[in-house]
Amino acid sequence: MTTAKSGRVPDELERLVGAHRSRPLLALAPMEGISDAIVRDLLSGLGGMDFCVTEFIRVTDRPVPKKVLLRECPELKFGGRTTAGVPVMLQLLGSDPENVGQSAARAVELGAVGIDLNFGCPARRVNGHHGGAALLTQLDRLRTIVETTRAYCPAGVPVSAKIRLGWENPEDVLDIARAAEDGGASWLTIHGRTKVQMYKPRAQWSWIRQAAARVKIPVIANGDIFTPDDLSACQKETQLHLFMIGRGAFRTPNAFRWMSGLDARPWNVHQSLDLIEIFVARVQADEATSDGGRVALGRLKGWIRALCDASPHISPLFHTVKRTVHLQAALECLKAFRSMPESFLNLGQPTAP
Ligand SMILES: Cc1cc2nc3c(=O)[nH]c(=O)nc-3n(C[C@H](O)[C@H](O)[C@H](O)COP(=O)(O)O)c2cc1C
């Protein structure tokens, strides 16, 4: 197998994402409540993204019903790809190997191009049922979940695992990575933090490098990649060629174009707000969320909040929008903000976080 370290996209990933590319492979991270099908469609349509992953789909005491799989991953109706043709890995989170495996089999029957297994979610309600990051402390079970899922999926359908460095001790990642590999994972995505660290201290990329050296399967590095400089630094520190980006895609909506070299710079605020307005219109139009704009308003606030992380000068917009209770009022704030003179708005490029 060609390795991620050689700069080539490894075979199994290459089958998923298509022809070999000289630039690093870039995937959109799964983000519950944020990276739904509309976002995946919009962001993948911009270019520069090689694959994406659904938000986690929870497997409880029975296999996930088909209608839930189709609701969470509507791309299944279109060959498991977004409109732009970007493949979508379907992520499952559960602690019962049989139920996870059978859910995976159903997803593949419906058209999933690959299954990703969540071993990183830090939510208490999930960990309380031995799911997500709780499995980082139960390596036999983690291995069995991967193995069983693999057995339920036809050959050629990748089964990947997304892990953190451990529950509390980052060095545990070495054994965790091995357990996932032993179970037959096609590749690993490693978020460079422990469960206890949640999302705060800087991701520890050096542990990702050490874990990658312990396994033969490809490793995707994840955590705190927001700019092309971060990408280069992560590449240097991990010696890897495969990366996953989460929050950065919301702070800078053209993050994938920027990091893949399609764009020379991050979008300015107007460009980002243009995309967010399209997003809001699509959320509203989505029958599943026809609720008088409540969901769209929440998502609008969330995305503007994320933009502020890269462009602090627009925080006055967030503070006004945050107080609105109706979508229409929030859209009016947006309009008013956008009609201000550019000199007043200081509409330069976002700053690196
Ligand atoms: C709001 C939120 C929701 C997330 N949901 C998921 C999820 O459903 N599945 C998963 O594997 N990781 C999830 N993550 C973790 C991200 O995929 C990613 O590993 C993490 O944000 C670090 O990458 P980043 O620094 O590029 O954001 C979530 C993270 C955030 C902030």
Side-chain angles (χ1 to χ4, degrees):
M1 185 198 293
T2 53
T3 71
K5 293 146 206 156
S6 70
R8 272 211 53 203
V9 175
D11 295 347
E12 208 162 6
L13 267 173
E14 193 163 301
R15 269 204 301 277
L16 183 79
V17 302
H20 159 65
R21 63 218 60 220
S22 52
R23 63 165 176 80
L25 176 142
L26 300 173
L28 175 67
M31 294 182 78
E32 191 208 8
I34 301 183
S35 65
D36 63 8
I38 297 176
V39 164
R40 296 193 293 268
D41 200 54
L42 282 174
L43 294 184
S44 65
L46 298 175
M49 184 191 296
D50 294 296
F51 75 87
C52 49
V53 186
T54 66
E55 303 158 85
F56 72 73
I57 302 173
R58 190 137 174 228
V59 184
T60 52
D61 55 356
R62 67 193 68 127
V64 180
K66 286 188 175 175
K67 70 168 192 293
V68 175
L69 295 169
L70 286 162
R71 185 187 70 212
E72 299 301 315
C73 184
E75 294 97 334
L76 290 174
K77 290 175 241 155
F78 308 101
R81 288 174 186 263
T82 67
T83 314
V86 172
V88 183
M89 295 286 287
L90 183 139
Q91 190 183 71
L92 295 173
L93 180 158
S95 56
D96 180 80
E98 275 298 312
N99 286 327
V100 174
Q102 288 182 30
S103 304
R106 277 186 187 174
V108 173
E109 236 177 83
L110 290 170
V113 292
I115 303 294
D116 186 56
L117 297 170
N118 179 317
F119 299 120
C121 179
R124 201 172 300 156
R125 79 194 140 91
V126 165
N127 297 160
H129 291 89
H130 308 288
L135 289 157
L136 301 174
T137 61
Q138 303 170 49
L139 297 192
D140 284 342
R141 189 183 277 254
L142 183 152
R143 185 183 306 108
T144 308
I145 293 172
V146 179
E147 211 166 65
T148 311
T149 306
R150 211 62 267 181
Y152 269 108
C153 291
V157 173
V159 174
S160 56
K162 184 162 178 288
I163 62 174
R164 283 176 176 254
L165 298 180
W167 183 269
E168 196 167 4
N169 299 316
E171 62 268 33
D172 288 349
V173 72
L174 306 177
D175 292 335
I176 297 165
R178 283 286 273 275
E181 178 179 48
D182 289 349
S186 309
W187 64 82
L188 273 180
T189 303
I190 307 183
H191 173 190
R193 292 187 181 85
T194 62
K195 182 269 168 194
V196 170
Q197 291 175 322
M198 301 293 280
Y199 297 98
K200 262 281 167 329
R202 271 205 74 77
Q204 295 171 278
W205 296 329
S206 59
W207 282 110
I208 302 180
R209 186 190 62 230
Q210 294 189 53
R214 280 286 183 101
V215 294
K216 294 192 182 68
I217 53 175
V219 168
I220 299 179
N222 168 241
D224 288 347
I225 301 171
F226 297 105
T227 66
D229 284 349
D230 293 336
L231 184 68
S232 306
C234 183
Q235 191 163 12
K236 198 165 161 213
E237 188 153 356
T238 59
Q239 296 294 302
L240 295 173
H241 198 62
L242 316 169
F243 304 92
M244 181 173 275
I245 293 152
R247 291 164 298 175
F250 295 85
R251 290 184 188 184
T252 316
N254 68 328
F256 285 88
R257 292 185 60 84
W258 188 28
M259 293 197 215
S260 64
L262 290 171
D263 284 350
R265 57 185 65 84
W267 279 351
N268 67 32
V269 171
H270 277 311
Q271 290 170 300
S272 299
L273 291 178
D274 282 345
L275 185 85
I276 294 176
E277 282 181 357
I278 295 171
F279 166 68
V280 168
R282 284 193 51 181
V283 173
Q284 268 189 293
D286 188 355
E287 269 179 60
T289 57
S290 55
D291 61 349
R294 195 180 51 83
V295 171
L297 177 62
R299 303 294 300 278
L300 173 67
K301 289 180 183 178
W303 206 333
I304 292 178
R305 167 80 196 77
L307 283 190
C308 292
D309 287 330
S311 309
H313 62 279
I314 66 159
S315 42
L317 171 65
F318 175 65
H319 290 297
T320 335
V321 166
K322 153 175 114 173
R323 285 197 290 271
T324 58
V325 286
H326 296 296
L327 179 63
Q328 205 44 47
L331 292 174
E332 290 298 327
C333 294
L334 223 63
K335 205 164 144 196
F337 178 83
R338 301 187 71 173
S339 63
M340 287 176 175
E342 305 241 331
S343 54
F344 182 78
L345 289 177
N346 180 22
L347 285 181
Q349 302 303 331
T351 50

